[in-house]
């Protein structure tokens, strides 16, 4: 099986052409760390959805092989 160890996120700021002005809300990066406890083949499904919006925007399927 695959177990989520932890996840973290980091906001990304966008710089403007005006010195000293930083635009907030430019996105971010999310880091997920997993560990495999048993050998085998697994498939992980990730769904991305904006807060307060309807519907799933992006799906990602990842195949994992643990030796």
């Amino acid at each position: 099986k695959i177990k989520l160890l932890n996840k973290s996120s980091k906001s990304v700021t966008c710089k403007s052409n005006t010195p000293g002005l930083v635009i907030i809300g430019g996105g971010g990066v999310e880091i997920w760390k997993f560990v495999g406890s048993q050998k085998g083949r697994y498939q992980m499904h990730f769904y991305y959805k904006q807060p307060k919006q309807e519907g799933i925007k992006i799906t990602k399927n990842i195949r994992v092989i643990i030796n």
Side-chain angles (χ1 to χ4, degrees):
K1 293 186 175 189
I2 297 174
K3 180 180 175 183
L4 176 65
L5 289 178
N6 60 49
K7 64 179 182 174
S8 61
S9 59
K10 181 178 178 182
S11 296
V12 177
T13 57
C14 299
K15 295 182 180 179
S16 72
N17 292 331
T18 305
L21 180 64
V22 176
I23 301 170
I24 306 298
V29 175
E30 194 159 336
I31 300 168
W32 300 58
K33 292 185 181 181
F34 297 91
V35 64
S37 61
Q38 296 178 345
K39 292 181 181 181
R41 294 174 183 241
Y42 302 92
Q43 188 154 346
M44 300 171 68
H45 304 279
F46 293 87
Y47 304 94
Y48 178 77
K49 180 179 182 253
Q50 288 281 353
K52 300 181 183 179
Q53 289 185 356
E54 296 295 323
I56 295 171
K57 300 295 180 184
I58 300 171
T59 61
K60 182 75 175 180
N61 298 319
I62 299 173
R63 293 182 185 168
V64 178
I65 300 173
I66 300 173
N67 294 321

